[in-house]
Amino acid sequence: MDWKKKILVTGGAGFIGSHLVRLLVNKYPDYLVVNFDKLTYAGNLNNLDDVKDHKNYVFVKGDICSNSDVKEAFESYDISDVIHLAAESHVDRSIEGPIEFVMTNVVGTVNLLHAARNHWGKEDGHIFHHVSTDEVYGSLGAEGLFEETTAYDPRSPYSASKASSDHFVNAFHHTYGMPIKISNCSNNYGSHQFPEKLIPLMIHNIVHNKALPVYGKGENIRDWLWVVDHASAIETIFHEGRIGESYNVGGLNEWTNIDLVRFLCKMMDEKLDREPGTNEKLISFVTDRAGHDLRYAIDATKLEEELKWRPSITFEEGLEKTVDWYLANQEWVEQVTSGDYQAYYDNMYSDR
Ligand code: NAD
Ligand code: DAU
């Protein structure tokens, strides 16, 4: 088959990556989608059961830090484009162990850039799209929004590693003319998210009548976007964004953690047929995250005006779809939490 594009999607077995792979495989039958993933605790091939037999989908198990794994993937499939999502993604884990974040997020990204440069040379028509986070901009006070021009000010080991990877991507553009694009997105939620992040963790604990650990006073603010809308933003930026540019992605949807958890508790009282107020009693305020950023909020005007992207649903609709998915897919939750998940939590909360 003469593929129009042969896209290496790194981290395609993870939360956002699997939504992006599903979108690309279904919508672009003339693209070959090569899902390149190491399958860490956060990667799960079952996330892609519905597309695994499509002719335009291939899975390659590999490590972005390995020179030979990456080179082989580029050569075997004559990769024309990269959408790079593979990363260590959880802030709390980065506080416990920063080295792995440097290795995967920084060294892995540079290794991938290096391989793309070797494979493409000075040929036109390629794209290296790096998927990044709003956390690179640091933390906001009560006012203001992150814009693409906001100075980088990362404050956790995770955000420092992502900021560093963004700098390398830009450096490859300025130094070698690498055709790059960067997107910086706010907090995602939706199906297939590992239950260590706030929303799936709270859903999981509510189902099992376990304490809901809210860090500090729960006053920190996050700006939430449905993962399917993030995937559509990546698709839009990949196709229509300008080379060398960054685009912020977000849905103007700010919530304090405590308001969000209370909202979820109410929604799940109804879904689980529990007395109103039952789930809220599970809320437990625990020791704050070290260096906890107060507020993130994205200004996505550039993406909306230049590329006409908009989120497709409200937070209330997206959260209900998410809760319904987790309730209907308890087997998935059991599978992904069957390894050292409990040991991780026992360790995480031992000093809280
Ligand atoms: P995730 O943790 O769910 O998935 C990460 C995936 O990367 C997993 O499939 C894992 O197996 C794979 N991976 C990890 N190390 C690898 C390596 N060395 N080689 C190959 N594959 C490897 O992450 P996510 O939440 O889906 O985030 C995806 C990307 O989007 C990350 O780059 C993250 O920084 C960024 N991002 C996430 C959010 C969010 O809210 N989750 C928001 C903005 C940006
Ligand atoms: O902003 C984008 C970022 O959002 C992504 O780059 C990261 O990959 C992603 O993990 C996410 O980072 P956060 O740290 O904001 O997400 P998390 O779900 O871990 O936490 C959301 C908020 O909830 C944060 O203020 C910490 C708080 N929290 C989190 C957990 C896991 C709690 O209060 N209790 C918890 O148990």
Side-chain angles (χ1 to χ4, degrees):
M1 170 106 184
D2 199 10
W3 302 107
K4 196 167 165 199
K5 288 181 187 292
K6 288 166 277 187
I7 308 178
L8 189 78
V9 178
T10 70
F15 166 49
I16 302 168
S18 61
H19 283 275
L20 178 70
V21 166
R22 179 174 302 105
L23 184 162
L24 294 173
V25 168
N26 286 324
K27 194 163 165 187
Y28 299 95
D30 51 354
Y31 290 3
L32 178 67
V33 179
V34 181
N35 173 9
F36 182 94
D37 200 297
K38 184 180 168 185
L39 299 182
T40 67
Y41 79 96
N44 184 353
L45 280 183
N46 293 346
N47 293 355
L48 288 164
D49 271 349
D50 52 331
V51 297
K52 73 176 190 318
D53 296 324
H54 287 227
K55 278 205 297 270
N56 63 334
Y57 171 76
V58 187
F59 172 68
V60 174
K61 187 164 192 269
D63 184 344
I64 55 166
C65 297
S66 154
N67 215 288
S68 55
D69 284 2
V70 171
K71 186 166 182 271
E72 196 179 322
F74 267 90
E75 286 174 359
S76 303
Y77 296 100
D78 188 20
I79 293 299
S80 64
D81 301 87
V82 173
I83 308 182
H84 174 37
L85 297 99
E88 286 297 331
S89 67
H90 191 40
V91 174
D92 290 325
R93 286 183 191 253
S94 82
I95 294 167
E96 294 291 306
I99 302 288
E100 210 163 335
F101 284 69
V102 177
M103 293 313 294
T104 301
N105 299 359
V106 186
V107 177
T109 300
V110 178
N111 191 41
L112 208 55
L113 285 161
H114 183 68
R117 181 171 165 245
N118 281 343
H119 195 71
W120 297 337
K122 296 226 171 294
E123 238 172 52
D124 283 336
H126 304 290
I127 296 165
F128 189 109
H129 180 149
H130 176 57
V131 176
S132 191
T133 171
D134 60 356
E135 297 196 13
V136 298
Y137 298 121
S139 179
L140 292 163
E143 301 291 319
L145 300 172
F146 295 135
E147 298 173 12
E148 286 83 357
T149 51
T150 303
Y152 274 32
D153 181 23
R155 296 148 50 98
S156 73
Y158 164 71
S159 55
S161 70
K162 290 298 290 187
S164 173
S165 66
D166 291 13
H167 288 320
F168 271 106
V169 172
N170 275 319
F172 267 63
H173 176 60
H174 290 289
T175 311
Y176 309 115
M178 170 76 73
I180 65 96
K181 302 178 183 187
I182 300 178
S183 48
N184 296 90
C185 189
S186 61
N187 286 62
N188 284 216
Y189 70 95
S191 71
H192 302 90
Q193 188 172 29
F194 192 79
E196 62 184 351
K197 310 280 165 59
L198 181 71
I199 291 181
L201 175 75
M202 294 297 161
I203 295 173
H204 181 64
N205 286 11
I206 289 171
V207 168
H208 294 281
N209 271 305
K210 286 169 70 176
L212 308 178
V214 173
Y215 299 166
K217 294 182 181 156
E219 286 166 356
N220 303 65
I221 293 173
R222 295 292 181 267
D223 182 357
W224 294 93
L225 182 70
W226 191 37
V227 63
V228 175
D229 285 329
H230 185 194
S232 89
I234 295 171
E235 176 205 7
T236 304
I237 295 163
F238 173 73
H239 286 106
E240 293 160 40
R242 282 179 288 143
I243 299 283
E245 294 281 320
S246 289
Y247 291 86
N248 281 352
V249 186
L252 281 184
N253 177 43
E254 294 182 49
W255 286 75
T256 63
N257 293 335
I258 188 63
D259 284 351
L260 195 163
V261 172
R262 288 200 173 114
F263 183 60
L264 194 57
C265 285
K266 278 202 193 80
M267 186 183 279
M268 290 189 66
D269 279 340
E270 277 180 37
K271 299 264 177 204
L272 297 171
D273 235 352
R274 294 180 181 168
E275 284 291 308
T278 306
N279 293 331
E280 257 198 59
K281 294 193 190 118
L282 296 169
I283 291 176
S284 157
F285 292 94
V286 299
T287 308
D288 210 351
R289 175 184 278 175
H292 198 172
D293 287 342
L294 178 64
R295 174 173 168 254
Y296 305 145
I298 277 279
D299 180 348
T301 308
K302 179 173 172 184
L303 175 60
E304 292 182 0
E305 292 193 347
E306 206 176 294
L307 307 183
K308 311 293 173 222
W309 172 89
R310 294 274 183 290
S312 66
I313 57 173
T314 65
F315 183 60
E316 288 73 6
E317 289 165 336
L319 194 64
E320 185 163 8
K321 278 180 191 290
T322 305
V323 169
D324 288 346
W325 185 87
Y326 278 95
L327 293 180
N329 288 278
Q330 283 299 303
E331 254 178 53
W332 180 93
V333 178
E334 273 158 36
Q335 189 218 327
V336 301
T337 56
S338 62
D340 61 357
Y341 180 82
Q342 198 49 52
Y344 165 74
Y345 268 99
D346 292 345
N347 176 45
M348 183 65 77
Y349 293 111
S350 60
D351 56 349
R352 286 203 151 121

